[in-house]
Amino acid sequence: MKCQFTLTVPEGKLLIAKAIAAQPEVRKALSEGMILLKGGTTVSALSEELCGVPLRISGRITPRGTVSSGAVKPEGAHSLLIRRGVPEQGDGRLAEIAASMGPGDVFVCGANLIDPWGGAVMMAGKDLCGEPGAIIPVIESE
């Protein structure tokens, strides 16, 4: 017997979020440590799965290229810290949060594409990828 399942893009993101949320490292950080989430549509699905709070999405990749979300006055967190299960605004505090993270904490940043060496790449909407771009090298090196 053969069976085929077809998922929409939002259903695929929800499936990815459920799989990440079920990881032992994520479950432990959720209850005992910190999880830092950097906005994106898939990461927003994860945020909703973990604490019920969606993230603000700054832009999207469309058939015509990258576009702004169009929000005149953005609402909600683009980066969210979940400390022992409690969500906190992360925007404007990423360097402070990254410096306080330890080996049992988790940082999740969505990827827009894969580079020629197989690494995940984040789309840069601002010089040096803005605030998230400033902490990614710190997170990776630690």
Side-chain angles (χ1 to χ4, degrees), residues 99-139:
S100 70
M101 293 180 82
D105 298 320
V106 174
F107 173 61
V108 181
C109 177
N112 300 107
L113 52 104
I114 304 299
D115 71 15
W117 302 275
V121 179
M122 179 178 73
M123 189 67 66
K126 290 183 175 181
D127 293 341
L128 301 174
C129 299
E131 188 183 20
I135 68 158
I136 289 175
V138 174
I139 298 277

Side-chain angles (χ1 to χ4, degrees), residues 61-117:
I61 298 176
T62 71
R64 64 173 220 244
T66 54
V67 296
S68 166
S69 66
V72 175
K73 187 173 184 180
E75 294 182 20
H78 182 60
S79 296
L80 189 74
L81 174 66
I82 306 172
R83 188 187 315 262
R84 293 188 178 101
V86 179
E88 304 173 16
Q89 171 70 259
D91 298 329
R93 305 175 35 217
L94 294 186
E96 166 200 331
I97 293 167
S100 70
M101 293 180 82
D105 298 320
V106 174
F107 173 61
V108 181
C109 177
N112 300 107
L113 52 104
I114 304 299
D115 71 15
W117 302 275

